[in-house]
Amino acid sequence: MCGIVGYVGPEEAGPILLQGLKRLEYRGYDSAGIALLNGSGVQVVKRSGKLSSLEQAVQEDSPSGTCGIAHTRWATHGAPNQPNAHPHTSSQGDIALVHNGIIENANDIRTQLSAIGYVFTSETDTEAVVHLIDRLWVEGEPLEDVVAAALRRVEGAYGIAVVSSRDPGKIVIARNGSPLLIGVGKNGETLAGSDAAAVIALTRDVVYLDDGDYAVLDMDGYRIKDIHGAQVSRTTHEVTWDLEAIEKGGYEHFMLKEIFEQPSSLRDVMRGRLMEEDGDSRLGGIAHHQPNLSRVRRVVITACGTSWHAALLGEYMIEELARIPVEVEYASEFRYRNPVLEDGTLVLAISQSGETADTLAALREAKHRGISTMGVVNVVGSTIARETDYGIYLHAGPEIGVASTKAFTSQLVALALVTLNIGRRRHLSVVQGGGIVRALKELPDQVEKVLELDSQIRSLAEAYADARNFLYLGRGLQFPVALEGALKLKEVSYIHAEGYPAAEMKHGPIALIDEDMPVVVLAPRDAVYQKVVSSIEEVKARRGRIIAVVTDEASELDGKVDHIIRVPQTIALLQPILTTVPLQLLAYHMAMIRGADVDQPRNLAKSVTVE
Ligand code: G6P
C-alpha cells in the first residue's frame, strides 16, 4: 500500500527512482511522483494514474539531481488526482515529503496551521506534516531534528521520506507502523524503500527500521536514531531472491507467472522440511519452541483476505490432526473485540506480506496480553515475521500480482507442515504422519498436471466471459476453496461472485439460480462427495450451469454437469491445493478476456498497511 523509494549517491537519481517505483507499483497505482534536489532547489513532478503517466512527464520535464524521493499512491485521504499525489511540498517548495500510512490528527494540525496563514493545496493528511516541518524549522537546524520534532506532534501510522534544499544532500526517513528499509549501497549510494523490491537493483543489503526509528541517509551511509533520540544500530539483512523473481520472465502477467510457479514454490516451502521415516516435519523456526507448543490448548488464527481463507483450512488441519480447538478470526474484527485469550492460547498470524495493518494490530493485541504468537509469513524480515515469537517462512519468493496465488498454496503446505509437527507430538501416529509426508511430496507434480488444463480452462472462460454473477460451492475442506475461487474472480475480473457451503445453498442462494447462473461446484472424491452430488442435482433442477471440479476419472457427474475439470486426487487435507489452481486460472482468463488489468485490479493494493 503506497510505495516509497529514495536515492542519494553519485548518479542521477531520476531513472533509479523511476525504476524503483516500477517495482513497487503493485503497492498502489492511483498516482505517482518524484522530487529531486539540485542546485536550484527541489524539483517535483507528479501525475495521477499509473506510473507510465509519470514516466512520460519526467521525459518532458527532465528533472535532475542526485538525491531524491519518489512515491506510488494507493489513495486513503483524498481522490486519486494530481494535487493529492505525493510528494507534497512546503509553500515555498523547498521541502518535499512522501508518506505511506494515515496521520490521524491531520485535521487538527491543518486547522492550527491554516489559522496562521498556511495554505493547503491538497485533501491529503500528508500535507499537514510537510507544513508542520516548515513551521517548526529554526534556521540552521539539521533536517533530521526538525522532522523528529514534527513527528513528536503527529499521531497515526507513517513511513515517510523527506528532502529539503535547506539542508541538501540527505534524505530523512522515519517509520511508525508502515514498513521502511534502508538499502546499503556499495559505491557511495544509499537508498530507502518501503520494501526490498525498491532497492534490489542496486543492493541486496537492507536494514529494516523499527517503529519509532528515524534515519539520515547520505553519500557516506546512514545513521539511525530511535524514538528517544539515541543512536541505534539495526541488523543488516541480505535479500536472498533475484531481480528475476520480480520480473515477468516471459509471461504476460505476474499473476499467470505466479500461478505457473506453484510447482516450484511448493517444492521450496517443503525443501529440507520433510521427514518421511518419522512421519514428521523439521521446522527450524519452531524447533526451539516445542515446550511452548506443547502447552498450547487453543489456537486462534488471524489473517485477512486470501490468507484468511488459508486460515480456515488451517483450522481443519489442526483440529483434525493435532486435536487442538481452533478459531479463525478476521484480523480487522479481532482487534476491536475483546477476545478471550486465556493462558494456553496461541495466536497464529498468517500473512503473505507480513505487513498487513489489521493482522499486525491483532498480533500486537495478543502480545500485549502476554499470549504467545506464531507467524506464517512469506516476506522475510517483514514486521509480522519480526514481531511474532516464532514462526515459519513460505519461501515462495516475491508475489507481485495483487491477487494472491502462489502464496496461498504455499500457506496451505506450511500449515500442513506445522500441523504435522504439532500433531506428531500429540496424537498423530508415525504411519499417519508418513502418509501425509508422502502426499506432500507428490503435490508439486500433481500441480503441474493441473496446469496442463490451462487451455481447457481458457475455453471455459470464453464461454462464460459475459456472466454477471458466479456461485462457488464446496463442502468441508472445499468450502474455503469456494470462497477463494469467488474472491479471485471478483478481484481480477470484477464479476460478482459468492462462495457458499454447498448444503447452505438451499437456505438462500438457490433463489438466484437460473440458466444464467454459472455454478462452480468443488466435488473431489472425499467423505462428503455424495452430499455434494445432491447439491449438484438441486442446481441442475433449477437449470443452473454447472462447472464441476472433480478427481474421478469417470463418474456419474459426466453426463450431469455442463463442464468437468479433472484434477489429480490427493489426501483430503491437501486436496484444496489441487482444486484451487484451476479456479485461479479461471479467474485469470475471465479477466483477460474481459480486458481487465489482471496485475493491478482497480481499487486494490497488494499489501494493505492502513486500517
Ligand atoms: C490484500 C491483498 C490480498 C491479500 C490480503 C492479505 O487485500 O490484495 O491478496 O490476501 O491483502 O494480505 P497478506 O499480505 O496479509 O497476506
Side-chain angles (χ1 to χ4, degrees):
M1 175 143 306
C2 297
I4 291 178
V5 49
Y7 171 89
V8 50
E11 306 286 331
E12 265 302 318
I16 296 169
L17 293 174
L18 284 177
Q19 190 188 53
L21 281 187
K22 220 177 176 59
R23 305 215 160 96
L24 288 181
E25 206 185 7
Y26 69 98
R27 296 181 69 100
Y29 29 84
D30 288 334
S31 62
I34 65 170
L36 297 181
L37 270 183
N38 56 36
S40 50
V42 181
Q43 219 177 333
V44 174
V45 184
K46 52 189 188 178
R47 286 292 180 276
S48 62
K50 300 227 164 141
L51 188 57
S52 49
S53 319
L54 177 69
E55 283 172 325
Q56 204 180 335
V58 165
Q59 245 177 15
E60 285 156 17
D61 295 8
S62 354
S64 74
T66 56
C67 174
I69 53 176
H71 188 265
T72 176
R73 177 169 188 248
W74 186 85
T76 56
H77 285 51
N81 55 25
Q82 189 162 321
N84 289 337
H86 297 219
H88 289 282
T89 49
S90 54
S91 306
Q92 302 93 316
D94 56 356
I95 308 168
L97 181 149
V98 293
H99 165 226
N100 178 11
I102 294 178
I103 305 298
E104 281 159 14
N105 60 342
N107 281 343
D108 295 344
I109 299 173
R110 188 182 265 259
T111 311
Q112 286 160 17
L113 294 177
S114 300
I116 53 170
Y118 278 87
V119 178
F120 285 76
T121 57
S122 79
E123 305 157 278
T124 64
D125 50 340
T126 306
E127 199 185 354
V129 185
V130 74
H131 290 315
L132 183 62
I133 292 173
D134 175 76
R135 168 74 184 155
L136 297 176
W137 206 327
V138 178
E139 215 187 312
E141 222 183 343
L143 174 63
E144 56 273 28
D145 290 2
V146 198
V147 170
L151 293 179
R152 279 195 287 274
R153 297 175 190 220
V154 159
E155 288 161 22
Y158 52 77
I160 61 163
V162 196
V163 291
S164 173
S165 54
R166 292 189 217 172
D167 188 6
K170 63 166 76 156
I171 304 171
V172 173
I173 63 172
R175 163 188 173 140
N176 186 39
S178 292
L180 214 49
L181 55 82
I182 299 169
V184 188
K186 292 187 176 51
N187 308 311
E189 75 249 348
T190 312
L191 295 105
S194 45
D195 70 53
V199 303
I200 178 94
L202 291 184
T203 179
R204 290 174 168 282
D205 295 332
V206 300
V207 177
Y208 297 96
L209 295 194
D210 279 351
D211 276 351
D213 286 355
Y214 65 97
V216 184
L217 280 49
D218 56 27
M219 282 182 69
D220 298 326
Y222 65 93
R223 296 170 298 285
I224 306 178
K225 288 190 175 179
D226 69 9
I227 201 159
H228 309 292
Q231 193 127 344
V232 287
S233 81
R234 303 274 177 235
T235 325
T236 306
H237 296 259
E238 197 195 337
V239 178
T240 49
W241 43 267
D242 298 322
L243 255 188
E244 247 175 37
I246 51 170
E247 277 160 4
K248 287 187 197 147
Y251 285 92
E252 205 171 336
H253 293 98
F254 282 111
M255 183 179 176
L256 191 63
K257 175 185 176 223
E258 288 157 6
I259 291 173
F260 274 84
E261 269 173 2
Q262 289 176 110
S264 73
S265 54
L266 293 181
R267 287 188 186 102
D268 289 343
V269 65
M270 291 187 245
R271 196 178 308 284
R273 289 170 162 175
L274 298 179
M275 299 162 74
E276 191 171 341
E277 277 192 14
D278 299 323
D280 202 350
S281 64
R282 185 190 298 111
L283 301 172
I286 65 175
H288 301 301
H289 300 274
Q290 291 302 351
N292 291 338
L293 274 174
S294 62
R295 280 196 295 275
V296 172
R297 296 283 160 267
R298 176 174 166 248
V299 179
V300 176
I301 316 183
T302 189
C304 302
T306 289
S307 298
W308 185 79
H309 297 155
L312 292 177
L313 286 160
E315 177 179 16
Y316 281 91
M317 294 185 198
I318 298 172
E319 292 202 336
E320 178 77 23
L321 300 183
R323 308 302 297 154
I324 305 173
V326 181
E327 281 155 61
V328 177
E329 294 262 12
Y330 280 116
S332 53
E333 294 295 318
F334 177 91
R335 61 184 294 191
Y336 288 115
R337 287 203 302 106
N338 186 9
V340 180
L341 294 174
E342 72 276 17
D343 206 29
T345 303
L346 171 73
V347 168
L348 170 57
I350 305 178
S351 174
Q352 186 285 127
S353 62
E355 301 293 351
T356 301
D358 286 323
T359 312
L360 185 57
L363 178 71
R364 286 180 175 160
E365 176 60 22
K367 288 191 80 172
H368 181 71
R369 297 185 186 204
I371 295 299
S372 70
T373 57
M374 177 174 166
V376 172
V377 172
N378 190 32
V379 178
V380 177
S382 57
T383 313
I384 294 174
R386 286 183 293 138
E387 293 198 10
T388 36
D389 298 328
Y390 49 96
I392 75 164
Y393 281 120
L394 304 181
H395 300 305
E399 190 180 65
I400 308 288
V402 167
S404 183
T405 52
K406 64 173 178 173
F408 178 69
T409 47
S410 291
Q411 283 166 343
L412 300 189
V413 169
L415 287 164
L417 295 174
V418 169
T419 307
L420 203 51
N421 202 279
I422 303 175
R424 284 289 288 121
R425 272 139 207 88
R426 296 188 183 222
H427 314 280
L428 197 69
S429 73
V430 64
V431 176
Q432 288 171 301
I436 295 166
V437 172
R438 279 190 295 284
L440 281 166
K441 278 186 164 169
E442 283 176 20
L443 267 180
D445 290 346
Q446 291 178 312
V447 170
E448 256 158 31
K449 285 258 163 315
V450 180
L451 293 171
E452 287 169 12
L453 303 174
D454 186 44
S455 55
Q456 182 204 340
I457 294 171
R458 201 198 134 81
S459 315
L460 197 61
E462 272 160 10
Y464 289 96
D466 293 331
R468 295 167 59 90
N469 297 287
F470 253 80
L471 191 59
Y472 287 72
L473 301 178
R475 209 162 168 177
L477 283 143
Q478 296 300 322
F479 164 52
V481 177
L483 293 177
E484 178 58 10
L487 179 64
K488 285 291 87 85
L489 192 70
K490 277 186 269 210
E491 281 179 317
V492 297
S493 76
Y494 316 138
I495 296 173
H496 168 249
E498 274 194 65
Y500 237 77
E504 274 293 303
M505 177 193 60
K506 55 187 172 297
H507 299 293
I510 199 162
L512 300 171
I513 291 175
D514 60 18
E515 62 273 23
D516 294 327
M517 174 67 97
V519 184
V520 177
V521 187
L522 299 153
R525 182 62 73 165
D526 60 14
V528 288
Y529 172 75
Q530 281 307 336
K531 310 268 175 211
V532 175
V533 171
S534 305
S535 302
I536 287 175
E537 298 284 5
E538 289 159 12
V539 173
K540 203 69 217 154
R542 279 132 192 113
R543 290 175 295 133
R545 313 270 288 155
I546 299 174
I547 301 162
V549 182
V550 304
T551 49
D552 286 339
E553 273 309 310
S555 75
E556 73 225 78
L557 290 181
D558 283 353
K560 208 168 273 176
V561 302
D562 299 274
H563 309 275
I564 293 240
I565 298 175
R566 248 180 256 286
V567 301
Q569 177 96 47
T570 178
I571 57 170
L573 282 179
L574 301 177
Q575 193 67 57
I577 293 169
L578 300 177
T579 47
T580 297
V581 175
L583 306 190
Q584 297 170 340
L585 285 169
L586 181 65
Y588 172 78
H589 288 302
M590 294 283 279
M592 279 294 292
I593 294 163
R594 292 164 67 98
D597 188 340
V598 180
D599 283 334
Q600 297 180 344
R602 69 184 180 208
N603 306 338
L604 296 177
K606 181 72 185 157
S607 87
V608 182
T609 53
V610 294
E611 257 196 85

